[in-house]
Amino acid sequence: MTDTPTQGKAPLLHVEDIHSYYGNIHALHGISLDVFEGEIVTLIGSNGAGKSTTIRTISGIMHPRQGAIYLDGAPIHNLPAHTLVAHGIAQSPEGRRIFPRLSVIDNLQMGAFLRRDKAEIQRDIENVYALFPRLKERHRQFAGTLSGGEQQMLAMGRAMMARPRLLLLDEPSMGLAPVLVDQIFEIIKRINTEQGTTILLVEQNALMALEIAARGYVLQSGSIVLSDTGAALLENDMVRKVYLGEVG
């Protein structure tokens, strides 16, 4: 494992030996990982490796049968999913899951449903529009009529409206054209660098994810088989062959 500037610091998110199940199916086999304040950390792996299950368990949609999850040192693994927004976690889920019959602006306001600071909410809406100008152009349009890329922008913008300390992004590039993938990843970097938001990124596009991530974890069959800095994982022979498609 390569030394990183985070060593010696307490993580914002600490996942410790979690085991998650779908009924009797043992999906996660002792996942442990850390995310430090200000980082982008990515989980990569093939379909069915357990990436999205890890995100669902962290976000409270699933609860681990064994192990623990801590946010800033406080246990959150038994908390209901809807309470975690108040603790500083927001998610842009796989498949976007926007409200199709609500307008773009209504979807964004739903992301701020726990907040009462109306002036700041309006300021954050303008910040989302600065990141995603297409959303401003379509602010009164029904979300269900947006393109796939626009819906992904809306899902991310809605999550940002909660002002999360930790943003969970689950497959943000899924189903998007290459030009939109580049745009989404550039915006993820801006959310991290300009707004200081810590990000845990689950992504099928391992190359793009590792290029922007400080650190990464490689999942296989519900277990972490490798972890290192993003740069080191890009140079790892196994990662290059299995996940980056290199031959030789």
Side-chain angles (χ1 to χ4, degrees), residues 45-201:
S46 58
N47 288 332
K51 305 184 305 295
S52 290
T53 303
T54 302
I55 287 286
R56 291 189 189 107
T57 306
I58 292 169
S59 65
I61 297 171
M62 301 173 63
H63 294 292
R65 292 191 190 176
Q66 180 183 327
I69 303 170
Y70 300 91
L71 185 71
D72 246 357
I76 61 170
H77 47 276
N78 289 322
L79 297 180
H82 69 273
T83 68
L84 291 182
V85 175
H87 289 265
I89 296 178
Q91 181 179 9
S92 175
E94 181 181 2
R96 293 131 200 177
R97 299 187 182 275
I98 46 89
F99 299 104
R101 297 185 180 181
L102 296 182
S103 67
V104 167
I105 184 67
D106 287 341
N107 268 268
L108 293 178
Q109 289 171 342
M110 288 293 288
F113 74 100
L114 286 181
R115 296 173 56 185
R116 299 294 179 265
D117 51 337
K118 291 185 178 181
E120 291 299 310
I121 289 172
Q122 186 57 45
R123 184 177 301 175
D124 286 346
I125 288 173
E126 293 303 323
N127 288 338
V128 169
Y129 287 158
L131 284 170
F132 304 106
R134 297 282 285 277
L135 296 183
K136 185 171 185 178
E137 294 171 10
R138 291 157 172 75
H139 70 286
R140 293 296 179 191
Q141 189 170 324
F142 286 127
T145 66
L146 300 177
S147 69
E150 290 163 351
Q151 289 186 15
Q152 182 60 58
M153 295 173 189
L154 180 56
M156 292 170 60
R158 182 183 61 188
M160 290 301 299
M161 289 300 300
R163 284 193 174 179
R165 296 186 63 196
L166 175 64
L167 177 62
L168 307 178
L169 298 178
D170 194 354
E171 302 285 8
S173 76
M174 180 178 288
L176 301 185
V179 64
L180 286 176
V181 172
D182 291 341
Q183 185 178 352
I184 289 294
F185 273 89
E186 186 61 37
I187 291 168
I188 291 170
K189 287 194 295 184
R190 288 181 60 192
I191 290 171
N192 175 250
T193 57
E194 295 176 11
Q195 302 188 20
T197 304
T198 305
I199 296 172
L200 179 59
L201 168 67

Side-chain angles (χ1 to χ4, degrees), residues 18-30 65-66 221-222:
I18 59 170
H19 293 253
S20 294
Y21 290 74
Y22 293 101
N24 293 322
I25 299 173
H26 195 173
L28 298 183
H29 302 265
R65 292 191 190 176
Q66 180 183 327
S221 302

Side-chain angles (χ1 to χ4, degrees), residues 1-5 210 213-216 227-235:
M1 178 88 176
T2 304
D3 288 347
T4 71
L210 292 173
R215 294 183 302 109
S227 65
D228 212 322
T229 64
L233 289 174
L234 281 170
E235 298 300 321

